[in-house]
Amino acid sequence: MGNCLSSTQSAVNPNVISKNRKALPIDSSFKLPAPLPSWPPGEGFGNGVIDLGDGLQVCQVSSFNKVWATHEGGPDNLGASFFEPSQFPQGFSMLGSYSQPNNTLLYGWVLAGRDDSGSALKQPIDYTLVWSSEALRIKQDGVGYIWLPSPPDGYKAVGHVVTNSPQKPPLGKTRCVRSDLTDECEIDSWIWGPGKESDPNGFNVYSLLPRNRGTRAMGVCVGTFVAQNTLTAPVSLACVKNVVSNLSCMPNRNQIQTIFQAYSPWIYFHPDEQFLPSSVNWYFKNGAFLYKKGDESRPVPIESDGSNLPQGGAEDDMYWLDLPVDEGEKDRVKKGNLQESQVYLHIKPMLGATFTDVAVWVFYPFNGPSRAKVEFINIPLGKIGEHVGDWEHVTLRISNFNGELRGVYFSEHSGGAWVKPSELEFQDGNKAVTYSSLHGHAMYARPGLVLQGRGGVGIRNDTAKSKKFMDTGTDSLVVAAEYLGTAINQPPWLDYFRKWGPKITYDISEEIKKVDKLLPGKLKSAFDKFIRSLPNEVLREEGPTGPKMKRNWAGDEV
């Protein structure tokens, strides 16, 4: 089948390839550590082909022939490789070429299309040469040519064609898509340019994503790239679209369970971590209170399922949660309870329902104080960074064509980052390893120090493997999968839209003064400027809102 990974086959003239060249990461294909499970019976998930409506069927192809490569420029100055898809299922046609930086293992895909209506796809009427490497004085395998298909009226190109000769590609090489079956797209990550960094005024190659992304957005990523001579030029390609909002390719409840058992991440906490996660129910049962503005002297104990919390509405500073009043109990609950922890899953369609995102939410009763690094000095920051209630998450992106893991998103304070499977650490089969930072609980794919700042001044995010960890597959609860209708019972606490912690009142200036006493004179002003530039998400003078109030609940992660 065309949606199975195979080793790269070179279509480059072997006479022009340097025999002395060192092997590059992209010369090897990445495979998940363990075979995929057998998916329980369902409707369309894992069936290999998705119907986007009006006669357009697509499949995911991840077997390639290499056409051309360069060995300089791009990420890590290792160049990039350009491929055409191969091994199409019967009746499917190429929609565009694929490209990837040479600094990672090959683990890509593009969509191929099949026209069941006779009008969804058409051959281009010509090609325009966008760029060639003829004049490029860098290491490369021959000469590469990037072509833009010229679509017939009423159609759009969704991918470039790459060749290693100056002759135009055959018209039957690729297909254009009828305009009403397409959507707008935008550049995503940098793949390659002649320099070591992307040049906004020069030639660059970027991956593409639909411009509008979210649980209700139906733009579908084709997996192709765009070649641009300036960053300000309009994107010359479109993506395709799930025009009938077909959700039959999304997993059912049994398939969700199998997906999460296959990919449930391990979360490791720093050996010095004092503030660990718990389940929401444990937090409520162990003395958390609901406060109401104007009636602070009479806090209300919270039912174990949160059924007496205010529901819906908006964050209006009228209600907040807090730790137990008793100091001894407060200190105990702050520390969480790893044995009673649980993760909460939000299952949602993404990229036109061709992918399933599994957002894995973790709750911590308390977020500890931050620590700073000022050049060679490490400094505790007093109360800065402390807040009651902390929600963090990682998101698994699963292909609905075959159930493969295609990316993991790690939330990091107010932002985060997608990491490709080829760059992940795995444990116990296909389960990604996640590292939670000390006190701040930001999620990272690798252990070590990540400094949130610049110029040697910043907030420390320390991660390390220890005996404190969560196997998230042992206790998880699906709290939302809106596309399944009433099949999932959402816990009442999920619709509590107010703060999960009180506003903590402290004088930042006083906290900075305490730190200043520990710093040499020349470092004081740099530290003061840095701290005052931090967003509220890091300073956290007040507790966060819950998962439903985050932008990624209905949208994409970034």
Side-chain angles (χ1 to χ4, degrees):
M1 284 291 290
N3 56 3
C4 297
L5 191 70
S6 73
S7 59
T8 306
Q9 304 167 44
S10 176
V12 181
N13 184 345
N15 296 322
V16 298
I17 301 175
S18 172
K19 296 180 180 179
N20 297 323
R21 159 171 95 72
K22 292 183 179 179
L24 294 168
I26 201 167
D27 293 330
S28 300
S29 296
F30 172 79
K31 293 184 179 180
L32 290 168
L36 298 185
S38 297
W39 305 116
E43 194 169 352
F45 177 78
N47 286 348
V49 176
I50 293 177
D51 183 359
L52 300 182
D54 282 4
L56 179 57
Q57 307 257 343
V58 291
C59 71
Q60 206 172 59
V61 179
S62 34
S63 55
F64 299 104
N65 292 332
K66 185 185 289 187
V67 178
W68 176 71
T70 174
H71 302 289
E72 291 183 44
D76 296 333
N77 199 29
L78 291 178
S81 296
F82 295 78
F83 304 85
E84 63 180 34
S86 64
Q87 300 181 24
F88 298 103
Q90 186 173 4
F92 282 81
S93 301
M94 173 173 155
L95 298 177
S97 298
Y98 173 75
S99 181
Q100 183 180 310
N102 288 339
N103 67 339
T104 58
L105 298 175
L106 179 61
Y107 190 57
W109 57 269
V110 290
L111 296 186
R114 183 174 67 197
D115 183 358
D116 285 351
S117 68
S119 64
L121 303 174
K122 284 196 181 299
Q123 295 182 12
I125 58 175
D126 199 0
Y127 291 94
T128 301
L129 181 63
V130 177
W131 178 87
S132 85
S133 68
E134 283 180 339
L136 208 58
R137 296 294 178 259
I138 64 173
K139 297 174 185 175
Q140 55 179 314
D141 294 344
V143 178
Y145 301 83
I146 299 178
W147 305 87
L148 176 66
S150 301
D153 288 343
Y155 289 77
K156 291 184 178 181
V158 297
H160 289 297
V161 175
V162 178
T163 65
N164 50 27
S165 72
Q167 285 77 37
K168 291 182 179 182
L171 295 179
K173 183 75 172 179
T174 191
R175 295 292 186 273
C176 300
V177 181
R178 204 172 70 220
S179 296
D180 62 310
L181 302 178
T182 66
D183 208 347
E184 292 185 357
C185 59
E186 63 184 12
I187 62 172
D188 181 26
S189 58
W190 185 51
I191 295 175
W192 183 75
K196 297 178 183 179
E197 296 180 353
S198 61
D199 178 2
N201 298 313
F203 178 78
N204 293 282
V205 175
Y206 297 94
S207 61
L208 290 168
L209 280 175
R211 183 179 298 277
N212 298 314
R213 301 186 298 279
T215 57
R216 297 187 178 184
M218 288 294 123
V220 173
C221 181
V222 183
T224 52
F225 65 88
V226 66
Q228 293 189 265
N229 287 304
T230 64
L231 187 58
T232 56
V235 176
S236 56
L237 300 172
C239 62
V240 293
K241 188 175 183 180
N242 184 345
V243 292
V244 291
S245 301
N246 175 21
L247 300 181
S248 66
C249 47
M250 291 294 293
N252 60 31
R253 293 189 68 173
N254 289 336
Q255 290 167 337
I256 291 169
Q257 183 177 7
T258 303
I259 288 170
F260 197 63
Q261 286 306 308
Y263 297 122
S264 53
W266 291 78
I267 302 176
Y268 280 92
F269 305 98
H270 194 277
D272 297 331
E273 182 62 73
Q274 301 163 268
F275 307 109
L276 294 163
S278 75
S279 68
V280 171
N281 291 7
W282 180 90
Y283 181 55
F284 292 164
K285 287 179 181 178
N286 281 267
F289 282 100
L290 170 67
Y291 284 79
K292 183 178 181 181
K293 188 175 183 178
D295 201 12
E296 291 88 346
S297 63
R298 296 193 299 173
V300 177
I302 305 169
E303 298 292 334
S304 62
D305 62 354
S307 56
N308 62 331
L309 293 173
Q311 299 287 290
E315 207 316 274
D316 53 11
D317 289 326
M318 285 298 297
Y319 296 92
W320 63 89
L321 309 186
D322 205 350
L323 297 161
V325 177
D326 179 81
E327 289 298 323
E329 284 298 289
K330 181 182 293 185
D331 288 342
R332 180 181 69 84
V333 174
K334 268 186 181 181
K335 296 177 182 178
N337 189 319
L338 199 53
Q339 286 67 43
E340 294 288 334
S341 61
Q342 185 178 43
V343 296
Y344 304 100
L345 310 182
H346 180 206
I347 317 298
K348 54 183 182 174
M350 196 56 60
L351 301 178
T354 55
F355 287 86
T356 294
D357 275 11
V358 181
V360 185
W361 289 94
V362 185
F363 174 73
Y364 300 79
F366 193 73
N367 191 95
S370 300
R371 297 192 307 154
K373 185 176 187 294
V374 185
E375 292 190 0
F376 53 89
I377 301 174
N378 296 314
I379 304 169
L381 293 182
K383 294 181 180 180
I384 292 176
E386 287 188 349
H387 60 90
V388 175
D390 189 24
W391 283 101
E392 304 290 347
H393 74 284
V394 294
T395 296
L396 313 174
R397 180 155 287 177
I398 311 298
S399 167
N400 286 347
F401 292 94
N402 55 15
E404 276 193 331
L405 178 70
R406 282 290 169 177
V408 178
Y409 181 83
F410 295 81
S411 66
E412 302 163 5
H413 302 299
S414 58
W418 282 104
V419 177
K420 298 175 182 177
S422 59
E423 299 169 337
L424 294 170
E425 176 186 349
F426 288 94
Q427 179 177 323
D428 189 22
N430 295 333
K431 300 183 178 187
V433 174
T434 302
Y435 294 89
S436 174
S437 67
L438 178 63
H439 289 182
H441 308 140
M443 302 289 199
Y444 296 96
R446 294 289 177 183
L449 168 64
V450 176
L451 194 65
Q452 187 178 355
R454 55 180 143 179
V457 180
I459 297 292
R460 292 185 65 99
N461 290 278
D462 292 281
T463 61
K465 194 168 283 188
S466 75
K467 294 182 180 179
K468 302 172 185 176
F469 60 85
M470 285 179 72
D471 174 1
T472 61
T474 60
D475 196 349
S476 63
L477 177 67
V478 177
V479 294
E482 290 87 348
Y483 69 93
L484 289 177
T486 59
I488 304 297
N489 294 318
Q490 297 189 13
W493 57 257
L494 191 62
D495 284 320
Y496 170 70
F497 292 165
R498 276 76 173 188
K499 294 286 194 300
W500 281 71
K503 184 171 184 177
I504 298 176
T505 55
Y506 61 83
D507 189 333
I508 291 180
S509 296
E510 286 300 316
E511 297 298 321
I512 292 174
K513 285 180 183 178
K514 294 176 186 177
V515 176
D516 280 348
K517 294 177 182 178
L518 305 174
L519 290 173
K522 68 176 184 177
L523 298 180
K524 289 181 181 180
S525 60
F527 172 75
D528 183 90
K529 183 178 180 181
F530 165 72
I531 287 294
R532 294 185 185 280
S533 71
L534 289 173
N536 291 333
E537 288 84 356
V538 177
L539 295 174
R540 278 295 188 206
E541 295 180 20
E542 54 189 28
T545 51
K548 267 196 177 182
M549 299 296 285
K550 309 301 184 187
R551 66 172 183 253
N552 71 301
W553 185 265
D556 198 3
E557 291 291 353
V558 288

